[in-house]
mmCIF file of all heavy atoms in Angstrom:
data_model
loop_
_atom_site.group_PDB
_atom_site.id
_atom_site.type_symbol
_atom_site.label_atom_id
_atom_site.label_comp_id
_atom_site.label_asym_id
_atom_site.label_seq_id
_atom_site.Cartn_x
_atom_site.Cartn_y
_atom_site.Cartn_z
ATOM 1 N N PHE A 1195 0.818 -1.155 0.034
ATOM 2 C CA PHE A 1195 -0.022 0.002 0.034
ATOM 3 C C PHE A 1195 0.907 1.264 0.006
ATOM 4 O O PHE A 1195 0.563 2.280 -0.681
ATOM 5 C CB PHE A 1195 -0.878 -0.028 1.212
ATOM 6 C CG PHE A 1195 -1.847 1.149 1.316
ATOM 7 C CD1 PHE A 1195 -3.057 1.213 0.624
ATOM 8 C CD2 PHE A 1195 -1.531 2.223 2.123
ATOM 9 C CE1 PHE A 1195 -3.882 2.225 0.614
ATOM 10 C CE2 PHE A 1195 -2.368 3.362 2.227
ATOM 11 C CZ PHE A 1195 -3.607 3.395 1.430
ATOM 12 N N ARG A 1196 1.901 1.228 0.791
ATOM 13 C CA ARG A 1196 2.869 2.361 0.853
ATOM 14 C C ARG A 1196 3.516 2.578 -0.487
ATOM 15 O O ARG A 1196 3.687 3.743 -0.959
ATOM 16 C CB ARG A 1196 3.876 2.207 1.976
ATOM 17 C CG ARG A 1196 4.894 3.306 2.080
ATOM 18 C CD ARG A 1196 5.871 3.028 3.170
ATOM 19 N NE ARG A 1196 6.869 4.058 3.184
ATOM 20 C CZ ARG A 1196 6.719 5.193 3.920
ATOM 21 N NH1 ARG A 1196 5.610 5.434 4.586
ATOM 22 N NH2 ARG A 1196 7.673 6.122 3.901
ATOM 23 N N ARG A 1197 3.899 1.482 -1.147
ATOM 24 C CA ARG A 1197 4.652 1.592 -2.406
ATOM 25 C C ARG A 1197 3.795 2.003 -3.598
ATOM 26 O O ARG A 1197 4.149 2.762 -4.456
ATOM 27 C CB ARG A 1197 5.375 0.301 -2.668
ATOM 28 C CG ARG A 1197 6.353 0.389 -3.852
ATOM 29 C CD ARG A 1197 7.075 -0.965 -4.161
ATOM 30 N NE ARG A 1197 6.148 -1.916 -4.534
ATOM 31 C CZ ARG A 1197 6.521 -3.199 -4.802
ATOM 32 N NH1 ARG A 1197 7.748 -3.619 -4.601
ATOM 33 N NH2 ARG A 1197 5.583 -4.114 -5.184
ATOM 34 N N GLU A 1198 2.557 1.310 -3.586
ATOM 35 C CA GLU A 1198 1.709 1.496 -4.759
ATOM 36 C C GLU A 1198 0.739 2.619 -4.695
ATOM 37 O O GLU A 1198 0.162 3.062 -5.687
ATOM 38 C CB GLU A 1198 0.983 0.238 -5.042
ATOM 39 C CG GLU A 1198 1.859 -0.998 -5.216
ATOM 40 C CD GLU A 1198 2.710 -0.925 -6.534
ATOM 41 O OE1 GLU A 1198 2.278 -0.239 -7.418
ATOM 42 O OE2 GLU A 1198 3.727 -1.535 -6.585
ATOM 43 N N VAL A 1199 0.439 3.100 -3.445
ATOM 44 C CA VAL A 1199 -0.626 4.182 -3.262
ATOM 45 C C VAL A 1199 0.033 5.450 -2.710
ATOM 46 O O VAL A 1199 -0.166 6.530 -3.320
ATOM 47 C CB VAL A 1199 -1.743 3.647 -2.424
ATOM 48 C CG1 VAL A 1199 -2.761 4.757 -2.155
ATOM 49 C CG2 VAL A 1199 -2.442 2.410 -2.981
ATOM 50 N N VAL A 1200 0.706 5.346 -1.585
ATOM 51 C CA VAL A 1200 1.160 6.533 -0.939
ATOM 52 C C VAL A 1200 2.250 7.207 -1.780
ATOM 53 O O VAL A 1200 2.213 8.461 -1.916
ATOM 54 C CB VAL A 1200 1.689 6.180 0.463
ATOM 55 C CG1 VAL A 1200 2.348 7.424 1.185
ATOM 56 C CG2 VAL A 1200 0.555 5.606 1.385
ATOM 57 N N ARG A 1201 3.233 6.453 -2.266
ATOM 58 C CA ARG A 1201 4.310 7.061 -3.049
ATOM 59 C C ARG A 1201 3.807 7.695 -4.375
ATOM 60 O O ARG A 1201 4.228 8.824 -4.648
ATOM 61 C CB ARG A 1201 5.318 5.974 -3.325
ATOM 62 C CG ARG A 1201 6.159 5.639 -2.057
ATOM 63 C CD ARG A 1201 7.280 4.577 -2.435
ATOM 64 N NE ARG A 1201 8.237 5.160 -3.376
ATOM 65 C CZ ARG A 1201 9.135 4.526 -4.035
ATOM 66 N NH1 ARG A 1201 9.293 3.231 -3.773
ATOM 67 N NH2 ARG A 1201 9.959 5.075 -4.905
ATOM 68 N N PRO A 1202 2.888 7.123 -5.091
ATOM 69 C CA PRO A 1202 2.335 7.810 -6.270
ATOM 70 C C PRO A 1202 1.724 9.104 -5.904
ATOM 71 O O PRO A 1202 1.868 10.102 -6.699
ATOM 72 C CB PRO A 1202 1.395 6.768 -6.852
ATOM 73 C CG PRO A 1202 1.885 5.480 -6.451
ATOM 74 C CD PRO A 1202 2.468 5.630 -5.115
ATOM 75 N N PHE A 1203 0.889 9.134 -4.815
ATOM 76 C CA PHE A 1203 0.271 10.359 -4.445
ATOM 77 C C PHE A 1203 1.365 11.440 -3.989
ATOM 78 O O PHE A 1203 1.174 12.597 -4.287
ATOM 79 C CB PHE A 1203 -0.729 10.195 -3.343
ATOM 80 C CG PHE A 1203 -2.063 9.764 -3.793
ATOM 81 C CD1 PHE A 1203 -2.521 8.501 -3.708
ATOM 82 C CD2 PHE A 1203 -2.948 10.727 -4.308
ATOM 83 C CE1 PHE A 1203 -3.839 8.149 -4.191
ATOM 84 C CE2 PHE A 1203 -4.199 10.393 -4.742
ATOM 85 C CZ PHE A 1203 -4.600 8.995 -4.684
ATOM 86 N N ALA A 1204 2.444 11.032 -3.381
ATOM 87 C CA ALA A 1204 3.449 11.870 -3.040
ATOM 88 C C ALA A 1204 4.175 12.475 -4.278
ATOM 89 O O ALA A 1204 4.452 13.737 -4.379
ATOM 90 C CB ALA A 1204 4.484 11.202 -2.112
ATOM 91 N N LEU A 1205 4.380 11.661 -5.247
ATOM 92 C CA LEU A 1205 4.923 12.077 -6.548
ATOM 93 C C LEU A 1205 3.999 13.073 -7.164
ATOM 94 O O LEU A 1205 4.444 14.081 -7.818
ATOM 95 C CB LEU A 1205 5.315 10.922 -7.428
ATOM 96 C CG LEU A 1205 6.449 10.006 -7.006
ATOM 97 C CD1 LEU A 1205 6.552 8.837 -7.920
ATOM 98 C CD2 LEU A 1205 7.755 10.821 -6.997
ATOM 99 N N ALA A 1206 2.667 12.753 -7.158
ATOM 100 C CA ALA A 1206 1.739 13.668 -7.719
ATOM 101 C C ALA A 1206 1.773 15.022 -7.090
ATOM 102 O O ALA A 1206 1.685 16.144 -7.774
ATOM 103 C CB ALA A 1206 0.310 13.074 -7.702
ATOM 104 N N ALA A 1207 1.908 15.053 -5.772
ATOM 105 C CA ALA A 1207 2.059 16.354 -5.024
ATOM 106 C C ALA A 1207 3.222 17.122 -5.517
ATOM 107 O O ALA A 1207 3.258 18.345 -5.683
ATOM 108 C CB ALA A 1207 2.048 16.116 -3.536
ATOM 109 N N ARG A 1208 4.375 16.395 -5.683
ATOM 110 C CA ARG A 1208 5.621 16.968 -6.184
ATOM 111 C C ARG A 1208 5.393 17.624 -7.539
ATOM 112 O O ARG A 1208 5.861 18.707 -7.876
ATOM 113 C CB ARG A 1208 6.733 16.088 -6.131
ATOM 114 C CG ARG A 1208 7.264 15.701 -4.780
ATOM 115 C CD ARG A 1208 8.414 14.729 -4.875
ATOM 116 N NE ARG A 1208 9.474 15.322 -5.581
ATOM 117 C CZ ARG A 1208 10.594 14.615 -5.882
ATOM 118 N NH1 ARG A 1208 10.724 13.368 -5.623
ATOM 119 N NH2 ARG A 1208 11.526 15.248 -6.618
ATOM 120 N N VAL A 1209 4.679 16.861 -8.438
ATOM 121 C CA VAL A 1209 4.393 17.381 -9.777
ATOM 122 C C VAL A 1209 3.581 18.599 -9.701
ATOM 123 O O VAL A 1209 3.856 19.559 -10.443
ATOM 124 C CB VAL A 1209 3.669 16.280 -10.595
ATOM 125 C CG1 VAL A 1209 3.227 16.846 -11.908
ATOM 126 C CG2 VAL A 1209 4.624 15.106 -10.869
ATOM 127 N N ILE A 1210 2.600 18.684 -8.769
ATOM 128 C CA ILE A 1210 1.747 19.870 -8.648
ATOM 129 C C ILE A 1210 2.696 21.039 -8.307
ATOM 130 O O ILE A 1210 2.572 22.242 -8.742
ATOM 131 C CB ILE A 1210 0.650 19.704 -7.677
ATOM 132 C CG1 ILE A 1210 -0.402 18.707 -8.153
ATOM 133 C CG2 ILE A 1210 -0.054 20.967 -7.310
ATOM 134 C CD1 ILE A 1210 -1.424 18.308 -7.185
ATOM 135 N N ARG A 1211 3.620 20.774 -7.276
ATOM 136 C CA ARG A 1211 4.441 21.917 -6.945
ATOM 137 C C ARG A 1211 5.383 22.340 -8.062
ATOM 138 O O ARG A 1211 5.652 23.497 -8.242
ATOM 139 C CB ARG A 1211 5.302 21.478 -5.725
ATOM 140 C CG ARG A 1211 4.587 21.335 -4.469
ATOM 141 C CD ARG A 1211 5.491 21.278 -3.228
ATOM 142 N NE ARG A 1211 6.338 20.006 -3.292
ATOM 143 C CZ ARG A 1211 5.990 18.828 -2.710
ATOM 144 N NH1 ARG A 1211 4.844 18.654 -2.123
ATOM 145 N NH2 ARG A 1211 6.851 17.821 -2.839
ATOM 146 N N VAL A 1212 5.804 21.394 -8.816
ATOM 147 C CA VAL A 1212 6.641 21.712 -10.074
ATOM 148 C C VAL A 1212 5.829 22.562 -10.996
ATOM 149 O O VAL A 1212 6.287 23.591 -11.568
ATOM 150 C CB VAL A 1212 7.166 20.455 -10.684
ATOM 151 C CG1 VAL A 1212 7.755 20.790 -12.018
ATOM 152 C CG2 VAL A 1212 8.160 19.808 -9.816
ATOM 153 N N ILE A 1213 4.553 22.174 -11.209
ATOM 154 C CA ILE A 1213 3.668 22.955 -12.122
ATOM 155 C C ILE A 1213 3.501 24.360 -11.623
ATOM 156 O O ILE A 1213 3.609 25.334 -12.461
ATOM 157 C CB ILE A 1213 2.386 22.243 -12.368
ATOM 158 C CG1 ILE A 1213 2.503 20.872 -13.078
ATOM 159 C CG2 ILE A 1213 1.383 23.126 -13.101
ATOM 160 C CD1 ILE A 1213 1.302 20.080 -13.204
ATOM 161 N N ARG A 1214 3.292 24.441 -10.329
ATOM 162 C CA ARG A 1214 3.150 25.823 -9.802
ATOM 163 C C ARG A 1214 4.465 26.626 -9.915
ATOM 164 O O ARG A 1214 4.451 27.867 -10.254
ATOM 165 C CB ARG A 1214 2.830 25.770 -8.302
ATOM 166 C CG ARG A 1214 1.361 25.276 -8.133
ATOM 167 C CD ARG A 1214 1.085 25.162 -6.594
ATOM 168 N NE ARG A 1214 -0.346 24.743 -6.293
ATOM 169 C CZ ARG A 1214 -0.793 24.531 -5.092
ATOM 170 N NH1 ARG A 1214 0.035 24.569 -4.063
ATOM 171 N NH2 ARG A 1214 -2.087 24.184 -5.022
ATOM 172 N N ALA A 1215 5.626 25.942 -9.724
ATOM 173 C CA ALA A 1215 6.938 26.647 -9.904
ATOM 174 C C ALA A 1215 7.096 27.097 -11.321
ATOM 175 O O ALA A 1215 7.603 28.196 -11.561
ATOM 176 C CB ALA A 1215 8.106 25.720 -9.463
ATOM 177 N N ILE A 1216 6.781 26.183 -12.353
ATOM 178 C CA ILE A 1216 6.899 26.602 -13.702
ATOM 179 C C ILE A 1216 5.961 27.734 -14.062
ATOM 180 O O ILE A 1216 6.296 28.628 -14.864
ATOM 181 C CB ILE A 1216 6.603 25.315 -14.651
ATOM 182 C CG1 ILE A 1216 7.737 24.325 -14.384
ATOM 183 C CG2 ILE A 1216 6.529 25.750 -16.035
ATOM 184 C CD1 ILE A 1216 7.468 23.008 -15.141
ATOM 185 N N ALA A 1217 4.778 27.710 -13.477
ATOM 186 C CA ALA A 1217 3.815 28.750 -13.734
ATOM 187 C C ALA A 1217 4.372 30.143 -13.241
ATOM 188 O O ALA A 1217 3.995 31.206 -13.775
ATOM 189 C CB ALA A 1217 2.440 28.470 -13.064
ATOM 190 N N LYS A 1218 5.212 30.117 -12.245
ATOM 191 C CA LYS A 1218 5.811 31.353 -11.666
ATOM 192 C C LYS A 1218 7.052 31.654 -12.404
ATOM 193 O O LYS A 1218 7.735 32.656 -12.100
ATOM 194 C CB LYS A 1218 6.073 31.182 -10.185
ATOM 195 C CG LYS A 1218 4.817 31.034 -9.322
ATOM 196 C CD LYS A 1218 5.163 30.908 -7.880
ATOM 197 C CE LYS A 1218 3.919 30.753 -6.963
ATOM 198 N NZ LYS A 1218 4.190 30.527 -5.559
ATOM 199 N N GLY A 1219 7.463 30.783 -13.405
ATOM 200 C CA GLY A 1219 8.653 31.150 -14.211
ATOM 201 C C GLY A 1219 9.882 30.504 -13.779
ATOM 202 O O GLY A 1219 10.985 30.757 -14.312
ATOM 203 N N ASP A 1220 9.880 29.521 -12.835
ATOM 204 C CA ASP A 1220 11.064 28.845 -12.366
ATOM 205 C C ASP A 1220 11.300 27.673 -13.303
ATOM 206 O O ASP A 1220 10.827 26.526 -13.052
ATOM 207 C CB ASP A 1220 10.945 28.365 -10.968
ATOM 208 C CG ASP A 1220 12.217 27.775 -10.386
ATOM 209 O OD1 ASP A 1220 13.242 27.819 -11.068
ATOM 210 O OD2 ASP A 1220 12.124 27.262 -9.295
ATOM 211 N N LEU A 1221 11.970 27.793 -14.392
ATOM 212 C CA LEU A 1221 12.174 26.795 -15.400
ATOM 213 C C LEU A 1221 13.344 25.796 -15.014
ATOM 214 O O LEU A 1221 13.487 24.739 -15.642
ATOM 215 C CB LEU A 1221 12.512 27.431 -16.727
ATOM 216 C CG LEU A 1221 11.366 28.305 -17.278
ATOM 217 C CD1 LEU A 1221 11.843 28.940 -18.642
ATOM 218 C CD2 LEU A 1221 10.132 27.636 -17.397
ATOM 219 N N ALA A 1222 14.106 26.165 -13.962
ATOM 220 C CA ALA A 1222 15.211 25.282 -13.595
ATOM 221 C C ALA A 1222 14.737 24.184 -12.568
ATOM 222 O O ALA A 1222 15.552 23.400 -12.164
ATOM 223 C CB ALA A 1222 16.320 26.126 -12.982
ATOM 224 N N VAL A 1223 13.501 24.228 -12.258
ATOM 225 C CA VAL A 1223 13.009 23.170 -11.211
ATOM 226 C C VAL A 1223 13.100 21.812 -11.828
ATOM 227 O O VAL A 1223 12.899 21.551 -13.029
ATOM 228 C CB VAL A 1223 11.599 23.541 -10.842
ATOM 229 C CG1 VAL A 1223 10.641 23.393 -11.990
ATOM 230 C CG2 VAL A 1223 11.121 22.675 -9.652
ATOM 231 N N GLU A 1224 13.454 20.877 -10.993
ATOM 232 C CA GLU A 1224 13.581 19.528 -11.414
ATOM 233 C C GLU A 1224 12.194 18.867 -11.561
ATOM 234 O O GLU A 1224 11.374 18.990 -10.669
ATOM 235 C CB GLU A 1224 14.407 18.671 -10.406
ATOM 236 C CG GLU A 1224 14.667 17.201 -10.776
ATOM 237 C CD GLU A 1224 15.440 16.481 -9.704
ATOM 238 O OE1 GLU A 1224 15.844 17.111 -8.747
ATOM 239 O OE2 GLU A 1224 15.507 15.223 -9.874
ATOM 240 N N ILE A 1225 11.967 18.170 -12.685
ATOM 241 C CA ILE A 1225 10.712 17.530 -12.938
ATOM 242 C C ILE A 1225 10.806 15.987 -12.580
ATOM 243 O O ILE A 1225 11.614 15.262 -13.146
ATOM 244 C CB ILE A 1225 10.298 17.673 -14.403
ATOM 245 C CG1 ILE A 1225 10.189 19.172 -14.764
ATOM 246 C CG2 ILE A 1225 8.958 16.985 -14.655
ATOM 247 C CD1 ILE A 1225 9.888 19.410 -16.157
ATOM 248 N N PRO A 1226 10.060 15.539 -11.547
ATOM 249 C CA PRO A 1226 10.162 14.109 -11.177
ATOM 250 C C PRO A 1226 9.465 13.272 -12.184
ATOM 251 O O PRO A 1226 8.653 13.748 -12.959
ATOM 252 C CB PRO A 1226 9.415 14.010 -9.872
ATOM 253 C CG PRO A 1226 8.394 15.175 -9.904
ATOM 254 C CD PRO A 1226 9.135 16.260 -10.690
ATOM 255 N N SER A 1227 9.900 12.054 -12.291
ATOM 256 C CA SER A 1227 9.304 11.035 -13.253
ATOM 257 C C SER A 1227 8.852 9.859 -12.491
ATOM 258 O O SER A 1227 9.500 9.419 -11.507
ATOM 259 C CB SER A 1227 10.282 10.726 -14.355
ATOM 260 O OG SER A 1227 11.498 10.135 -13.811
#
């Protein structure tokens, strides 16, 4: 459950933060995969 559910949601939260950073113009932010 931790590997298949919790970690994907954590990665999704990181992606949202990255999207917000890119929206603010921070193009050097690392994009998780």
Side-chain angles (χ1 to χ4, degrees):
F1195 181 82
R1196 179 180 177 84
R1197 187 180 67 181
E1198 301 296 333
V1199 178
V1200 177
R1201 289 183 60 189
F1203 274 103
L1205 289 174
R1208 288 181 59 188
V1209 170
I1210 292 174
R1211 290 196 296 269
V1212 169
I1213 293 174
R1214 289 178 177 175
I1216 293 175
K1218 293 179 180 180
D1220 187 5
L1221 300 180
V1223 64
E1224 182 181 357
I1225 301 175
S1227 60

